[in-house]
Amino acid sequence: MTVTVNGSARELAAGCTVAELLLAEGAPEKGIAVALNGTVVPRGRWTAEVPAGAVVEIVTAVQGG
């Protein structure tokens, strides 16, 4: 199935979870937020499946001034 991750198309296996997607993307384990179709997904719900056609935004927190 195809999803869009941070503006780029990705092919995922059916049933792929948010956590599996983050692992495949090489996202850090901490300091990130995930939105699925415009709704933030709390870390406790990263076991949720990513639906086909979803738009996923992965945001990494950065420090600085």
Side-chain angles (χ1 to χ4, degrees), residues 1-64:
M1 70 179 176
T2 303
V3 300
T4 302
V5 179
N6 289 355
S8 298
R10 298 281 194 274
E11 288 295 323
L12 301 178
C16 180
T17 66
V18 172
E20 291 168 338
L21 170 62
L22 293 172
L23 183 62
E25 290 291 316
E29 293 183 23
K30 295 182 178 180
I32 61 171
V34 179
L36 184 60
N37 294 327
T39 301
V40 173
V41 180
R43 182 177 295 269
R45 299 213 39 192
W46 287 1
T47 55
E49 290 185 14
V50 179
V55 175
V56 181
E57 296 291 333
I58 302 170
V59 180
T60 304
V62 293
Q63 293 180 324

